[in-house]
Amino acid sequence: QVQLVQSGSELEKPGASVKVSCRASGYTFTGPSINWVRQAPGQGLEWMGFINTKSGKPTYAQDLIGRFVFSLDTSVSTAYLQISSLEAEDTAVYYCAKDRAYFAFDIWGQGTLVTVSS
Amino acid sequence: QSALTQPPSASGSPGQSVTISCTGTNSDVGGYKYVSWFQQQPGKAPKLMIYEVSKRPSGVPDRFSGSTSGNTASLTVSGLQADDEGTYYCSSYGGTNKGAFGGGTKLTVL
């Protein structure tokens, strides 16, 4: 079946980096974009941006600071989110989601909890 | 502050109908027919319930319906069931490379 499977929870110290993976299966990976959404504890959903799976071009939400990088490895149908210089405020669940078109995220990963704490 | 405005809570008794609003601008909700609605239950990933204003993905009951009027989109859940509880988020396409979610509405079935 069509699914996105994300990597497991991460516990990192402030200033460190983390890389979250999102492996797709059950459909042609190089087609629909992969979006990234974060959810801080007890808060709502925040769209972070997306990566075009055909060209590999990332697009970031306007208010996202330049510590976030989206990338792909099409050979293993996997998208990645890397966050550098982690801050406590980055503590959140990060989701990847497949976009069927125009913000209709029809398949979601199970989420990856990133905790930043000293 | 979210780009789209939703009421923080809504409620209804089993069998009743409830409508959740989502207000944007003519640069998103009012400008495009690309509003989606997601249901999120505690500890789970969001689930797509409505896309392109009023279309339902396969497997979503027809008790869920969507519409728009001007800059406001609405999600109506009819025949409320206990399993409908959760937080509902709207989203809208906002032009090239732009998008946003609403702040979420917690639906309680009384």
Side-chain angles (χ1 to χ4, degrees):
Chain A
Q1 73 277 27
V2 178
Q3 61 178 352
L4 298 173
V5 178
Q6 298 183 225
S7 48
S9 297
E10 303 273 6
L11 173 59
E12 299 291 347
K13 295 189 184 310
S17 295
V18 70
K19 194 169 187 177
V20 176
S21 67
C22 170
R23 178 171 50 85
S25 61
Y27 73 98
T28 301
F29 182 66
T30 51
S33 67
I34 292 289
N35 285 249
W36 289 94
V37 177
R38 70 179 171 183
Q39 187 170 37
Q43 302 300 306
L45 304 175
E46 179 186 7
W47 179 70
M48 301 175 66
F50 68 93
I51 187 162
N52 183 312
T53 56
K54 296 177 182 176
S55 66
K57 179 184 176 183
T59 297
Y60 302 97
Q62 283 188 331
D63 54 358
L64 206 64
I65 307 172
R67 299 184 292 111
F68 301 84
V69 176
F70 306 150
S71 61
L72 296 173
D73 184 342
T74 56
S75 68
V76 290
S77 300
T78 300
Y80 301 94
L81 163 66
Q82 182 162 359
I83 313 171
S84 59
S85 302
L86 283 164
E87 304 169 353
E89 291 71 28
D90 294 323
T91 294
V93 175
Y94 291 82
Y95 293 101
C96 60
K98 167 183 163 292
D99 188 1
R100 60 173 291 155
Y102 298 109
F103 259 65
F105 304 150
D106 59 344
I107 303 295
W108 293 68
Q110 81 276 23
T112 296
L113 173 62
V114 174
T115 303
V116 183
S117 174
S118 54
Chain B
Q1 186 175 358
S2 300
L4 305 177
T5 301
Q6 297 181 236
S9 63
S11 63
S13 299
Q16 288 186 332
S17 294
V18 65
T19 297
I20 299 171
S21 63
C22 169
T23 302
T25 68
N26 54 18
S27 295
D28 39 59
V29 174
Y32 302 93
K33 296 296 184 183
Y34 297 124
V35 175
S36 298
W37 289 92
F38 303 89
Q39 175 196 64
Q40 186 178 35
Q41 296 178 320
K44 295 186 176 180
K47 175 186 176 183
L48 180 65
M49 305 301 285
I50 295 286
Y51 68 99
E52 293 180 18
V53 175
S54 60
K55 297 180 179 179
R56 283 187 307 276
S58 174
V60 173
D62 59 6
R63 299 185 297 103
F64 291 84
S65 61
S67 63
T68 59
S69 177
N71 296 334
T72 298
S74 298
L75 172 72
T76 298
V77 186
S78 58
L80 272 175
Q81 299 179 1
D83 191 47
D84 296 334
E85 281 200 342
T87 300
Y88 289 81
Y89 295 90
C90 63
S91 75
S92 177
Y93 178 71
T96 305
N97 302 333
K98 294 180 183 177
F101 287 101
T105 299
K106 185 173 182 180
L107 175 62
T108 301
V109 180
L110 303 171

